[in-house]
Amino acid sequence: MSSIRIVPPGEVAKTAGAIPPLLFANLKSLYSRRAERLRQLAESHPLGDYLLFAASVVEAQQNAHHDHPLTIDLTGVLEASASSGRAPLAVKYFSRSAHWQTLLAAIIAELKPNAPEHVQPVLESLSKASAQELEDLATALLAGEIAQVGSDKAPFLWAALSIYWAQIATQIPGKARAEYGEERYNCPVCDSPPVASVVHIGTETGLRYLHCSLCESEWHMVRVKCSNCEQTGHLNYWSLDTEHAAVKAESCGDCGSYLKILYQDKDQNVEPVADDLASLILDAKMEGENFARSGVNPFLFPSGE
């Protein structure tokens, strides 16, 4: 069973000590902060052009979120989640509305005028797709069937789906409760994989949280434990420069996976999606050491072939 549960507001929520088990995103600042970080990292970066394009997508997300707000009553959803033991917004079970397609249309419309030439046909294809075609693509993408979607379309579809899920997640009226148990790898809100983990400063100083690749929520996981298989015996930490690097890869010899870990005390500006994307050379190093990436970056979908 998942060791972090969301319970209805009427139920007493017991937390493990003073550690908040779940942190919801602040969408008023998340996108602007991410875009700013991407632009900062793009300076003198070999992949600077792509980082700048990613920043433009994130800015389009911010505007779509602002222009197309969503309000939803989740009381029934939380009650069903509590009785079934599932994450309340689990992608396999939550019945999404067409609102995400409105968000996608807004993102495409904003990107089209200035998108790179090779991206234009992709945006055009998505803008001409029928509602059912888009739903089929979304279902395949959320199931991890990238080959059916195409790595060229995936980032734009995910951008819209991510706003949609994040808008709903931040309206959850319940509280989170930490419970004994395993299977912390996937998000307790939407059951999606993380993009990276972050060791916080501030009120959660020294605590590690996994950052959801879809709904932008963060959930607590103790340090020095594999975020994929929860084993502790064969962990190693890799960086490109020094042991004090702000971005490292945590590898596990038990399951053969790795996930980036970001340290805010080394650089308070680190941002999960941006810094993960800007450290692709570290991914190459990890693949060279025969470790497989366990996380998902919204701008780094594999070809699926």
Side-chain angles (χ1 to χ4, degrees):
M1 288 296 185
S2 173
S3 47
I4 295 178
R5 291 285 180 79
I6 298 171
V7 297
E11 188 175 330
V12 177
K14 298 178 181 179
T15 59
I19 298 176
L22 183 64
L23 304 174
F24 292 109
N26 179 357
L27 298 185
K28 291 182 179 180
S29 61
L30 181 140
Y31 299 115
S32 58
R33 182 171 177 269
R34 181 172 296 163
E36 182 180 1
R37 181 62 170 172
L38 283 164
R39 293 189 181 283
Q40 178 186 5
L41 293 168
E43 297 177 8
S44 303
H45 195 287
L47 296 175
D49 287 345
Y50 188 62
L51 295 178
L52 290 174
F53 177 68
S56 70
V57 175
V58 174
E59 288 166 344
Q61 284 182 290
Q62 180 180 26
N63 293 333
H65 163 64
H66 178 271
D67 295 342
H68 303 282
L70 174 65
T71 301
I72 184 172
D73 182 1
L74 293 172
T75 304
V77 172
L78 275 184
E79 291 174 350
S81 169
S83 62
S84 67
R86 295 172 181 163
L89 306 182
V91 291
K92 291 182 180 179
Y93 304 104
F94 184 74
S95 181
R96 62 181 180 267
S97 73
H99 179 77
W100 80 270
Q101 293 195 23
T102 300
L103 297 167
L104 176 63
I107 291 172
I108 291 174
E110 181 165 339
L111 290 175
K112 262 188 174 183
N114 300 306
E117 186 175 349
H118 69 279
V119 175
Q120 293 287 352
V122 180
L123 298 177
E124 187 68 20
S125 175
L126 286 172
S127 66
K128 291 183 177 179
S130 69
Q132 187 57 55
E133 288 172 333
L134 290 176
E135 289 299 338
D136 292 343
L137 287 171
T139 298
L141 179 59
L142 293 171
E145 298 169 355
I146 311 301
Q148 296 186 30
V149 179
S151 57
D152 55 346
K153 294 185 178 71
F156 306 108
L157 293 164
W158 193 273
L161 290 165
S162 179
I163 305 171
Y164 175 71
W165 251 270
Q167 284 179 329
I168 299 175
T170 55
Q171 295 179 60
I172 289 178
K175 297 181 179 180
R177 179 175 65 201
E179 298 178 344
Y180 291 107
E182 300 301 321
E183 299 182 16
R184 289 192 181 216
Y185 177 66
N186 276 2
C187 175
V189 177
C190 69
D191 200 28
S192 297
V195 60
S197 66
V198 184
V199 178
H200 283 220
I201 57 175
T203 55
E204 293 90 29
T205 293
L207 299 178
R208 176 171 74 159
Y209 286 82
L210 299 180
H211 189 102
C212 181
S213 58
L214 183 68
C215 78
E216 309 283 3
S217 301
E218 292 190 346
W219 64 104
H220 178 251
M221 173 173 277
V222 297
R223 296 167 67 173
V224 199
K225 175 182 277 193
C226 175
S227 59
N228 186 52
C229 72
E230 305 220 12
Q231 297 302 307
T232 60
H234 299 90
L235 295 179
N236 285 295
Y237 296 85
W238 311 70
S239 66
L240 296 174
D241 38 37
T242 72
E243 61 179 297
H244 301 294
V247 180
K248 294 183 180 180
E250 181 183 73
S251 69
C252 177
D254 285 299
C255 67
S257 74
Y258 76 92
L259 188 72
K260 304 275 182 64
I261 180 168
L262 284 54
Y263 298 86
Q264 289 185 342
D265 61 335
K266 303 293 192 298
D267 184 346
Q268 64 180 4
N269 296 315
V270 290
E271 199 284 327
V273 171
D275 282 83
D276 178 63
L277 186 62
S279 55
L280 286 179
I281 190 169
L282 183 54
D283 291 273
K285 179 181 179 68
M286 300 310 297
E287 290 173 9
E289 297 288 342
N290 295 316
F291 289 103
R293 180 185 177 94
S294 63
V296 170
N297 189 297
F299 294 100
L300 196 64
F301 287 99
S303 62
E305 297 176 356

